[in-house]
Amino acid sequence: MVLDIAGICIAARAQPYVHAALAAIDPDGPCTVLGHARKLGVEGAAFINGIAAHGEDFDDTYEGGPVHAGVVIVPALLAAAERHGFSGEDFLRGLAIGTEVMCRLCSVAPTKVHKAGFHPTAVFGVMGAVAGVGAALRLTEGQLVDAFGIAGSMASGIIEYLADGSWTKRMHPGWAAQSGYRAVRLAREGFKGPRTVFEGSHGLFHGFANTAAGDFDAMMAGFGATWIWPTIAFKPYACGTMCHPYIDCAREFGKLGIDPAAIAGIECEAAEGVLHRLWEPLDQKRSPPNGYAAKFSVPYAIAVAIVRGDAGLREYDDVIVEDPTILAVASKVSYVVDPHNPYPRQFTGHVRVRLVDGKVHEFRQGYFKGGVDHPLSDEDLTRKFQANCAYGGLAKDDTQGLLAHVHALFDSPAVDFAPFAR
């Protein structure tokens, strides 16, 4: 997870949204911003690293949410570690506990946070950051209770970015990371927060899931004995996770070598729970206004996978998104709702291609490549890291140095990424 996040931060370091966010931070400080020479205070570094890590939508995903844990927990802990002198063991403790808490929160009211118009990574991320930083700093029970209570008033993140592909989703993990740290610091100094922040009549789930009937037993089942964070998935494609099985199906069709102009129509089975984010409004999803909006479009994902055979960082450049061949294929993609789709427990894909001569080619995939049942190998993740560093313009020697540094991180006496601030 740390390696994946570091590589994505490097890949995104020259992007305009990163530069805009960095320019908006005034005070410098002791904490590393990955891929940049400038160092910031704890909140600033957590904010920028969180934005960069999530900005290309190439980061890890917990399928049961879905939430993106690494983009919150790693930036929060990295900044806190350099400010407070964490050892690698402290960092690992915080990483495991923060990620576990963030993922477990997803089981209380599945899909309801998204349906209420909020981004679960943003809402649950601030709580995960509290758990991670609080565990690394070894807060008392009372301090942790206060920190969670405080963080409830810092949770935020609406999903209106879906309307036009604007940048606010990119900001959410950074905001959660810095806010979680701030809540911990306030609690450590004696600031009080509500004890019933999760289950209260005006608590987190009332506000962000519109429910007072959450399944807290599911959240707590096996807590402290059974870990769910090892099921986290890593992305092979730079777009919304639920698009990935469709991309795999589309790439299988692409291998047939059939001219895209011979396609009469493409029908897909889809989960009802993702329609409002990845399929609707269908006309807009077929012709996204920019590369970022395209990351949340299944029609575009299918089309670019057929035409270009991949869905990496370059396939979501604004120029590529305007390719008339890709848009022509995307315009032919439609869906029907599959009432038996297992989302959010499992992400699936289905592509049924009908050609102008009447022939039909159909592909199904019942899993997310990169997920727990079909994980990427260590070698896959290393290649992804190296490719991301190359995309971000990091020299090969520096890339190998960062790779070695991450591999030794948990055994190090002090967490320090300053040698890679450039």
Side-chain angles (χ1 to χ4, degrees), residues 293-338:
K295 290 176 180 287
F296 312 104
S297 162
V298 176
Y300 178 84
I302 291 170
V304 78
I306 290 173
V307 174
R308 290 176 63 92
D310 202 358
L313 291 171
R314 300 189 189 281
E315 277 65 46
Y316 288 91
D317 284 345
D318 287 345
V319 173
I320 300 300
V321 170
E322 297 174 356
D323 185 319
T325 303
I326 296 172
L327 294 177
V329 176
S331 71
K332 301 173 184 178
V333 179
S334 61
Y335 72 89
V336 294
V337 174
D338 172 13

CSV table of all heavy atoms in Angstrom, one decimal, residues 293-338:
chain,number,residue,atom,x,y,z
A,293,ALA,N,-13.7,13.2,-15.7
A,293,ALA,CA,-15.0,12.7,-15.8
A,293,ALA,C,-15.1,11.3,-16.4
A,293,ALA,O,-15.9,10.5,-16.1
A,293,ALA,CB,-15.9,13.7,-16.6
A,294,ALA,N,-14.2,11.1,-17.4
A,294,ALA,CA,-14.1,9.8,-18.1
A,294,ALA,C,-13.8,8.6,-17.1
A,294,ALA,O,-14.1,7.5,-17.4
A,294,ALA,CB,-13.1,9.8,-19.2
A,295,LYS,N,-13.1,8.9,-16.0
A,295,LYS,CA,-12.7,7.9,-15.1
A,295,LYS,C,-13.9,7.3,-14.4
A,295,LYS,O,-13.8,6.2,-13.7
A,295,LYS,CB,-11.7,8.5,-14.0
A,295,LYS,CG,-10.3,8.8,-14.6
A,295,LYS,CD,-9.5,9.5,-13.5
A,295,LYS,CE,-8.1,9.8,-14.1
A,295,LYS,NZ,-7.2,8.6,-14.2
A,296,PHE,N,-15.0,8.0,-14.4
A,296,PHE,CA,-16.3,7.5,-13.8
A,296,PHE,C,-17.3,7.2,-14.8
A,296,PHE,O,-18.5,7.4,-14.6
A,296,PHE,CB,-16.7,8.5,-12.8
A,296,PHE,CG,-15.6,9.0,-11.9
A,296,PHE,CD1,-15.0,10.2,-12.1
A,296,PHE,CD2,-15.1,8.1,-10.9
A,296,PHE,CE1,-13.9,10.6,-11.3
A,296,PHE,CE2,-14.0,8.5,-10.2
A,296,PHE,CZ,-13.4,9.8,-10.3
A,297,SER,N,-16.9,6.7,-15.9
A,297,SER,CA,-17.8,6.3,-17.0
A,297,SER,C,-17.5,4.9,-17.5
A,297,SER,O,-16.4,4.7,-18.1
A,297,SER,CB,-17.7,7.3,-18.2
A,297,SER,OG,-18.2,6.8,-19.4
A,298,VAL,N,-18.5,4.0,-17.4
A,298,VAL,CA,-18.3,2.6,-17.9
A,298,VAL,C,-18.3,2.7,-19.4
A,298,VAL,O,-17.5,2.0,-20.1
A,298,VAL,CB,-19.3,1.7,-17.3
A,298,VAL,CG1,-19.2,0.3,-18.0
A,298,VAL,CG2,-19.2,1.5,-15.8
A,299,PRO,N,-19.2,3.4,-20.1
A,299,PRO,CA,-19.2,3.4,-21.6
A,299,PRO,C,-17.8,3.9,-22.1
A,299,PRO,O,-17.3,3.3,-23.1
A,299,PRO,CB,-20.2,4.5,-21.9
A,299,PRO,CG,-21.2,4.3,-20.8
A,299,PRO,CD,-20.4,4.1,-19.6
A,300,TYR,N,-17.2,4.9,-21.5
A,300,TYR,CA,-15.9,5.3,-22.0
A,300,TYR,C,-14.8,4.2,-21.7
A,300,TYR,O,-14.0,3.9,-22.5
A,300,TYR,CB,-15.4,6.6,-21.3
A,300,TYR,CG,-14.0,7.0,-21.8
A,300,TYR,CD1,-13.8,7.7,-22.9
A,300,TYR,CD2,-12.9,6.6,-21.0
A,300,TYR,CE1,-12.6,8.0,-23.4
A,300,TYR,CE2,-11.6,7.0,-21.5
A,300,TYR,CZ,-11.5,7.7,-22.6
A,300,TYR,OH,-10.2,8.0,-23.1
A,301,ALA,N,-14.9,3.6,-20.5
A,301,ALA,CA,-13.9,2.6,-20.1
A,301,ALA,C,-14.0,1.4,-21.1
A,301,ALA,O,-12.9,0.9,-21.6
A,301,ALA,CB,-14.2,2.1,-18.7
A,302,ILE,N,-15.2,1.0,-21.5
A,302,ILE,CA,-15.3,-0.1,-22.5
A,302,ILE,C,-14.7,0.3,-23.8
A,302,ILE,O,-14.0,-0.4,-24.5
A,302,ILE,CB,-16.8,-0.5,-22.6
A,302,ILE,CG1,-17.2,-1.2,-21.3
A,302,ILE,CG2,-17.0,-1.4,-23.8
A,302,ILE,CD1,-18.7,-1.4,-21.2
A,303,ALA,N,-15.1,1.5,-24.2
A,303,ALA,CA,-14.6,2.0,-25.6
A,303,ALA,C,-13.1,2.2,-25.6
A,303,ALA,O,-12.5,1.7,-26.6
A,303,ALA,CB,-15.3,3.3,-25.9
A,304,VAL,N,-12.5,2.8,-24.6
A,304,VAL,CA,-11.1,3.0,-24.7
A,304,VAL,C,-10.3,1.6,-24.6
A,304,VAL,O,-9.3,1.5,-25.2
A,304,VAL,CB,-10.6,4.0,-23.6
A,304,VAL,CG1,-10.5,3.3,-22.2
A,304,VAL,CG2,-9.3,4.6,-24.0
A,305,ALA,N,-10.9,0.7,-23.9
A,305,ALA,CA,-10.3,-0.6,-23.8
A,305,ALA,C,-10.3,-1.4,-25.1
A,305,ALA,O,-9.4,-2.1,-25.5
A,305,ALA,CB,-10.9,-1.5,-22.7
A,306,ILE,N,-11.4,-1.2,-25.9
A,306,ILE,CA,-11.5,-1.8,-27.2
A,306,ILE,C,-10.6,-1.2,-28.2
A,306,ILE,O,-9.9,-1.8,-28.9
A,306,ILE,CB,-13.0,-1.8,-27.7
A,306,ILE,CG1,-13.9,-2.7,-26.8
A,306,ILE,CG2,-13.1,-2.1,-29.2
A,306,ILE,CD1,-15.4,-2.6,-27.1
A,307,VAL,N,-10.6,0.2,-28.2
A,307,VAL,CA,-9.8,0.9,-29.2
A,307,VAL,C,-8.3,0.9,-28.9
A,307,VAL,O,-7.5,0.8,-29.8
A,307,VAL,CB,-10.4,2.3,-29.3
A,307,VAL,CG1,-9.5,3.2,-30.3
A,307,VAL,CG2,-11.8,2.3,-29.8
A,308,ARG,N,-8.0,1.1,-27.7
A,308,ARG,CA,-6.5,1.3,-27.3
A,308,ARG,C,-6.0,0.1,-26.6
A,308,ARG,O,-4.7,0.0,-26.4
A,308,ARG,CB,-6.3,2.5,-26.5
A,308,ARG,CG,-6.5,3.8,-27.3
A,308,ARG,CD,-6.4,5.1,-26.5
A,308,ARG,NE,-5.1,5.2,-25.9
A,308,ARG,CZ,-4.1,5.9,-26.4
A,308,ARG,NH1,-4.2,6.5,-27.6
A,308,ARG,NH2,-2.9,6.0,-25.7
A,309,GLY,N,-6.8,-0.8,-26.1
A,309,GLY,CA,-6.3,-2.1,-25.5
A,309,GLY,C,-5.8,-1.9,-24.1
A,309,GLY,O,-5.2,-2.8,-23.5
A,310,ASP,N,-6.1,-0.7,-23.4
A,310,ASP,CA,-5.7,-0.5,-22.1
A,310,ASP,C,-6.5,0.7,-21.5
A,310,ASP,O,-7.4,1.3,-22.2
A,310,ASP,CB,-4.2,-0.1,-22.1
A,310,ASP,CG,-3.5,-0.3,-20.7
A,310,ASP,OD1,-4.2,-0.7,-19.8
A,310,ASP,OD2,-2.3,0.0,-20.6
A,311,ALA,N,-6.3,0.9,-20.2
A,311,ALA,CA,-7.0,2.0,-19.5
A,311,ALA,C,-6.1,2.6,-18.4
A,311,ALA,O,-6.5,2.7,-17.3
A,311,ALA,CB,-8.4,1.6,-18.9
A,312,GLY,N,-4.9,2.9,-18.9
A,312,GLY,CA,-3.9,3.4,-17.9
A,312,GLY,C,-4.0,5.0,-17.8
A,312,GLY,O,-4.9,5.6,-18.3
A,313,LEU,N,-2.9,5.6,-17.3
A,313,LEU,CA,-2.9,7.0,-17.1
A,313,LEU,C,-3.1,7.8,-18.4
A,313,LEU,O,-3.8,8.7,-18.5
A,313,LEU,CB,-1.6,7.4,-16.4
A,313,LEU,CG,-1.5,7.0,-14.9
A,313,LEU,CD1,0.0,7.3,-14.5
A,313,LEU,CD2,-2.5,7.7,-14.0
A,314,ARG,N,-2.4,7.3,-19.4
A,314,ARG,CA,-2.5,8.0,-20.7
A,314,ARG,C,-3.8,7.9,-21.4
A,314,ARG,O,-4.2,8.8,-22.2
A,314,ARG,CB,-1.4,7.5,-21.6
A,314,ARG,CG,0.0,7.7,-21.1
A,314,ARG,CD,1.1,7.4,-22.0
A,314,ARG,NE,2.4,7.4,-21.4
A,314,ARG,CZ,3.1,8.4,-21.0
A,314,ARG,NH1,2.6,9.6,-21.3
A,314,ARG,NH2,4.3,8.3,-20.4
A,315,GLU,N,-4.6,6.9,-21.1
A,315,GLU,CA,-5.9,6.7,-21.7
A,315,GLU,C,-6.9,7.7,-21.2
A,315,GLU,O,-8.0,7.8,-21.7
A,315,GLU,CB,-6.4,5.3,-21.5
A,315,GLU,CG,-5.9,4.3,-22.6
A,315,GLU,CD,-4.4,4.1,-22.5
A,315,GLU,OE1,-3.9,3.9,-21.3
A,315,GLU,OE2,-3.7,4.1,-23.5
A,316,TYR,N,-6.6,8.4,-20.1
A,316,TYR,CA,-7.5,9.4,-19.5
A,316,TYR,C,-7.0,10.8,-19.7
A,316,TYR,O,-7.4,11.7,-19.0
A,316,TYR,CB,-7.8,9.0,-18.1
A,316,TYR,CG,-8.6,7.8,-18.0
A,316,TYR,CD1,-8.1,6.5,-17.9
A,316,TYR,CD2,-10.0,7.9,-18.1
A,316,TYR,CE1,-8.9,5.4,-17.9
A,316,TYR,CE2,-10.8,6.8,-18.0
A,316,TYR,CZ,-10.3,5.5,-17.9
A,316,TYR,OH,-11.1,4.4,-17.9
A,317,ASP,N,-6.0,11.0,-20.6
A,317,ASP,CA,-5.6,12.4,-20.9
A,317,ASP,C,-6.8,13.0,-21.6
A,317,ASP,O,-7.6,12.4,-22.4
A,317,ASP,CB,-4.4,12.3,-21.9
A,317,ASP,CG,-3.1,12.1,-21.2
A,317,ASP,OD1,-3.1,12.1,-19.9
A,317,ASP,OD2,-2.2,11.7,-21.9
A,318,ASP,N,-7.0,14.3,-21.4
A,318,ASP,CA,-8.1,15.1,-22.1
A,318,ASP,C,-8.1,14.9,-23.6
A,318,ASP,O,-9.2,14.8,-24.2
A,318,ASP,CB,-8.0,16.5,-21.7
A,318,ASP,CG,-8.4,16.8,-20.2
A,318,ASP,OD1,-9.0,15.9,-19.6
A,318,ASP,OD2,-8.1,17.9,-19.8
A,319,VAL,N,-6.9,14.9,-24.2
A,319,VAL,CA,-6.9,14.8,-25.7
A,319,VAL,C,-7.4,13.4,-26.1
A,319,VAL,O,-8.2,13.3,-27.1
A,319,VAL,CB,-5.4,15.0,-26.2
A,319,VAL,CG1,-5.3,14.7,-27.7
A,319,VAL,CG2,-5.0,16.4,-25.9
A,320,ILE,N,-7.0,12.4,-25.4
A,320,ILE,CA,-7.5,11.0,-25.8
A,320,ILE,C,-9.0,10.9,-25.6
A,320,ILE,O,-9.7,10.2,-26.4
A,320,ILE,CB,-6.8,9.9,-24.9
A,320,ILE,CG1,-5.2,10.0,-25.2
A,320,ILE,CG2,-7.3,8.5,-25.3
A,320,ILE,CD1,-4.8,9.8,-26.6
A,321,VAL,N,-9.5,11.5,-24.6
A,321,VAL,CA,-11.0,11.4,-24.3
A,321,VAL,C,-11.8,12.0,-25.5
A,321,VAL,O,-12.9,11.7,-25.7
A,321,VAL,CB,-11.3,12.1,-23.0
A,321,VAL,CG1,-12.8,12.3,-22.8
A,321,VAL,CG2,-10.7,11.3,-21.8
A,322,GLU,N,-11.2,12.9,-26.3
A,322,GLU,CA,-11.9,13.5,-27.4
A,322,GLU,C,-11.7,12.7,-28.7
A,322,GLU,O,-12.3,13.1,-29.7
A,322,GLU,CB,-11.3,14.9,-27.6
A,322,GLU,CG,-11.6,15.9,-26.4
A,322,GLU,CD,-10.9,17.2,-26.6
A,322,GLU,OE1,-10.2,17.4,-27.6
A,322,GLU,OE2,-11.1,18.1,-25.7
A,323,ASP,N,-11.0,11.6,-28.6
A,323,ASP,CA,-10.8,10.8,-29.8
A,323,ASP,C,-12.2,10.3,-30.4
A,323,ASP,O,-12.9,9.6,-29.8
A,323,ASP,CB,-10.0,9.5,-29.4
A,323,ASP,CG,-9.6,8.7,-30.6
A,323,ASP,OD1,-10.4,8.5,-31.5
A,323,ASP,OD2,-8.4,8.2,-30.7
A,324,PRO,N,-12.4,10.7,-31.7
A,324,PRO,CA,-13.7,10.4,-32.3
A,324,PRO,C,-14.0,8.9,-32.4
A,324,PRO,O,-15.2,8.4,-32.3
A,324,PRO,CB,-13.7,11.0,-33.6
A,324,PRO,CG,-12.3,11.3,-33.9
A,324,PRO,CD,-11.6,11.5,-32.6
A,325,THR,N,-12.9,8.1,-32.6
A,325,THR,CA,-13.1,6.6,-32.7
A,325,THR,C,-13.6,6.1,-31.3
A,325,THR,O,-14.5,5.2,-31.3
A,325,THR,CB,-11.8,5.9,-33.1
A,325,THR,OG1,-11.4,6.5,-34.3
A,325,THR,CG2,-12.0,4.4,-33.3
A,326,ILE,N,-13.0,6.5,-30.2
A,326,ILE,CA,-13.4,6.1,-28.9
A,326,ILE,C,-14.8,6.5,-28.6
A,326,ILE,O,-15.7,5.7,-28.1
A,326,ILE,CB,-12.4,6.6,-27.9
A,326,ILE,CG1,-11.0,6.0,-28.1
A,326,ILE,CG2,-12.9,6.3,-26.5
A,326,ILE,CD1,-10.0,6.6,-27.2
A,327,LEU,N,-15.1,7.8,-28.9
A,327,LEU,CA,-16.5,8.3,-28.6
A,327,LEU,C,-17.5,7.6,-29.5
A,327,LEU,O,-18.7,7.4,-29.0
A,327,LEU,CB,-16.5,9.8,-28.9
A,327,LEU,CG,-15.6,10.6,-27.9
A,327,LEU,CD1,-15.7,12.1,-28.3
A,327,LEU,CD2,-16.1,10.5,-26.5
A,328,ALA,N,-17.2,7.2,-30.7
A,328,ALA,CA,-18.2,6.5,-31.5
A,328,ALA,C,-18.5,5.1,-30.9
A,328,ALA,O,-19.7,4.7,-30.9
A,328,ALA,CB,-17.6,6.3,-32.9
A,329,VAL,N,-17.5,4.4,-30.3
A,329,VAL,CA,-17.8,3.2,-29.7
A,329,VAL,C,-18.6,3.4,-28.4
A,329,VAL,O,-19.6,2.7,-28.1
A,329,VAL,CB,-16.5,2.4,-29.4
A,329,VAL,CG1,-16.8,1.1,-28.6
A,329,VAL,CG2,-15.8,2.1,-30.7
A,330,ALA,N,-18.2,4.4,-27.6
A,330,ALA,CA,-18.9,4.7,-26.3
A,330,ALA,C,-20.4,5.0,-26.6
A,330,ALA,O,-21.2,4.7,-25.7
A,330,ALA,CB,-18.2,5.9,-25.6
A,331,SER,N,-20.7,5.7,-27.7
A,331,SER,CA,-22.1,6.1,-28.0
A,331,SER,C,-23.0,4.9,-28.2
A,331,SER,O,-24.2,5.0,-28.2
A,331,SER,CB,-22.1,7.0,-29.2
A,331,SER,OG,-21.8,6.2,-30.4
A,332,LYS,N,-22.4,3.7,-28.4
A,332,LYS,CA,-23.1,2.5,-28.7
A,332,LYS,C,-23.3,1.6,-27.4
A,332,LYS,O,-23.9,0.5,-27.5
A,332,LYS,CB,-22.5,1.7,-29.8
A,332,LYS,CG,-22.3,2.4,-31.1
A,332,LYS,CD,-21.5,1.6,-32.1
A,332,LYS,CE,-21.2,2.5,-33.4
A,332,LYS,NZ,-20.4,1.7,-34.4
A,333,VAL,N,-22.8,2.1,-26.3
A,333,VAL,CA,-22.8,1.3,-25.1
A,333,VAL,C,-24.1,1.6,-24.3
A,333,VAL,O,-24.4,2.8,-24.1
A,333,VAL,CB,-21.6,1.5,-24.2
A,333,VAL,CG1,-21.7,0.7,-22.9
A,333,VAL,CG2,-20.3,1.2,-24.9
A,334,SER,N,-24.8,0.6,-23.9
A,334,SER,CA,-26.0,0.8,-23.0
A,334,SER,C,-26.0,-0.3,-21.9
A,334,SER,O,-25.1,-1.1,-21.9
A,334,SER,CB,-27.3,0.6,-23.9
A,334,SER,OG,-27.4,-0.7,-24.4
A,335,TYR,N,-27.0,-0.3,-21.0
A,335,TYR,CA,-27.0,-1.2,-19.9
A,335,TYR,C,-28.4,-1.7,-19.6
A,335,TYR,O,-29.4,-1.0,-20.0
A,335,TYR,CB,-26.4,-0.6,-18.7
A,335,TYR,CG,-27.3,0.5,-18.0
A,335,TYR,CD1,-28.2,0.2,-17.1
A,335,TYR,CD2,-27.1,1.8,-18.4
A,335,TYR,CE1,-29.0,1.2,-16.5
A,335,TYR,CE2,-27.9,2.8,-17.8
A,335,TYR,CZ,-28.9,2.5,-16.9
A,335,TYR,OH,-29.7,3.4,-16.3
A,336,VAL,N,-28.5,-2.8,-18.9
A,336,VAL,CA,-29.7,-3.2,-18.3
A,336,VAL,C,-29.3,-3.6,-16.8
A,336,VAL,O,-28.2,-4.0,-16.5
A,336,VAL,CB,-30.3,-4.5,-19.0
A,336,VAL,CG1,-30.8,-4.1,-20.4
A,336,VAL,CG2,-29.3,-5.6,-19.0
A,337,VAL,N,-30.3,-3.4,-15.9
A,337,VAL,CA,-30.0,-3.6,-14.5
A,337,VAL,C,-30.1,-5.1,-14.2
A,337,VAL,O,-31.1,-5.8,-14.6
A,337,VAL,CB,-31.0,-2.8,-13.6
A,337,VAL,CG1,-30.8,-3.2,-12.1
A,337,VAL,CG2,-30.8,-1.3,-13.8
A,338,ASP,N,-29.1,-5.6,-13.5
A,338,ASP,CA,-29.1,-7.0,-13.1
A,338,ASP,C,-29.5,-7.0,-11.6
A,338,ASP,O,-28.7,-6.6,-10.7
A,338,ASP,CB,-27.7,-7.6,-13.3
A,338,ASP,CG,-27.5,-9.0,-12.6
A,338,ASP,OD1,-28.5,-9.6,-12.3
A,338,ASP,OD2,-26.4,-9.4,-12.5
